[in-house]
Amino acid sequence: KNQQLFIALLALTSASAFAGENTKSDGSLSLNVGVQLGRTGLDGSQKDKAEWSPVLGVDYRKGRFFAGTRGVGYDLVQEEWLSLYAAAAFDPGRKEGNAKDSRQLVGMGKVPSSALMIVGARLAPWGDMLALQVNYIKAARTEQGGRLQVGASLGFPVGGPVSGTIDVSATRADTRLAQTYWGVTAAQSARSGNRVYTPKAGWISSSATVGLNWQIDPSWSTGFAVGREQYRGAAAASPLVKRRADTVGSMTLNYTF
């Protein structure tokens, strides 16, 4: 959903969404099509629940430059076991609610869109068997704060061209981000009817997924993942949040040029 642009990506594409597994120096272009199961609505909207929706993704890499799921960025360090990178992305913000689709957001006001600055690291001393990653995402607008994402990915062979992954991730929000998207000020309470709520910084969500990938040939592959995403801490206690946990998943067909 809009205020969780990158949190949702972690749930739908696993904790390795920012991992930067491809560290080859040559160019590559990957196309991904499929469907994903996840929340499609804002907190406080009528669609604040997991639903299936189509997905189309493009990932491009040339040397240290990349563009796609991780935003547009550059690998500062590019080793087999270590990747340090910086990237830019976009948060569309949150629109003012309406009586039909997002009654609880009526009177909450809109959250402006903002550019996002991302710095991250991936440590994979045993290749795809175990990878650890951390990302810090900071909004260009001061009031929209920042978030820290940490995750781990465990890869294992299943048989032949089929491999599996287990991914876990967690997200921590600072006070400004928590207040902007899950807090309710006295003025917002008077306009919307939601109770006043002042969240603190802390861990706001976690997810765990299990996935299978079939490498059909050097260019074609297909993947399936299913898991659970859950709000925690300040986000879970917000009056705007009605569903604290949902099943997430994805089915994709991928082609790499």
Side-chain angles (χ1 to χ4, degrees):
K1 51 194 172 178
N2 289 350
Q3 78 269 35
Q4 286 189 290
L5 182 61
F6 280 91
I7 300 176
L9 283 175
L10 284 176
L12 298 174
T13 62
S14 83
S16 61
F18 295 98
E21 294 93 53
N22 186 356
T23 57
K24 296 180 180 179
S25 59
D26 55 343
S28 66
L29 176 65
S30 299
L31 303 178
N32 315 294
V33 295
V35 292
Q36 61 189 23
L37 175 65
R39 298 184 183 185
T40 58
L42 294 163
D43 289 327
S45 73
Q46 300 303 106
K47 292 185 178 181
D48 181 17
K49 60 182 179 180
E51 295 181 336
W52 286 101
S53 60
V55 60
L56 172 64
V58 179
D59 285 284
Y60 172 76
R61 170 176 287 278
K62 179 66 174 178
R64 292 174 179 258
F65 171 82
F66 61 84
T69 307
R70 294 190 289 154
V72 178
Y74 187 81
D75 283 321
L76 305 173
V77 175
Q78 190 183 57
E79 303 290 343
E80 287 291 332
W81 60 277
L82 176 65
S83 176
L84 303 177
Y85 49 87
F90 180 72
D91 182 347
R94 183 180 70 193
K95 295 181 179 179
E96 170 67 54
N98 62 74
K100 179 181 178 181
D101 298 321
S102 48
R103 204 169 296 114
Q104 276 190 288
L105 296 178
V106 174
M108 289 294 296
K110 71 175 184 178
V111 176
S113 59
S114 176
L116 299 173
M117 285 76 74
I118 307 165
V119 291
R122 176 182 186 256
L123 178 64
W126 297 286
D128 292 334
M129 290 182 59
L130 177 63
L132 306 175
Q133 56 270 336
V134 58
N135 303 281
Y136 179 70
I137 304 172
K138 175 69 175 177
R141 292 181 176 273
T142 303
E143 66 274 14
Q144 289 172 229
R147 71 197 68 173
L148 176 71
Q149 294 176 336
V150 295
S153 179
L154 175 67
F156 55 91
V158 176
V162 180
S163 60
T165 58
I166 299 175
D167 297 293
V168 294
S169 67
T171 300
R172 180 181 175 86
D174 65 16
T175 302
R176 287 173 174 168
L177 178 68
Q179 179 62 51
T180 297
Y181 282 114
W182 295 283
V184 181
T185 65
Q188 289 173 325
S189 177
R191 295 193 302 264
S192 67
N194 296 311
R195 63 179 173 84
V196 174
Y197 177 62
T198 304
K200 297 179 180 180
W203 297 99
I204 58 169
S205 71
S206 62
S207 67
T209 61
V210 177
L212 292 175
N213 182 76
W214 176 26
Q215 191 68 47
I216 302 171
D217 62 29
S219 296
W220 288 97
S221 65
T222 184
F224 168 81
V226 64
R228 193 75 170 167
E229 180 184 31
Q230 183 167 344
Y231 274 128
R232 298 186 181 279
S238 171
L240 301 179
V241 173
K242 298 304 179 184
R243 295 176 62 88
R244 297 184 178 180
D246 270 305
T247 298
V248 295
S250 64
M251 292 183 290
T252 58
L253 179 64
N254 316 299
Y255 183 82
T256 300
F257 292 88

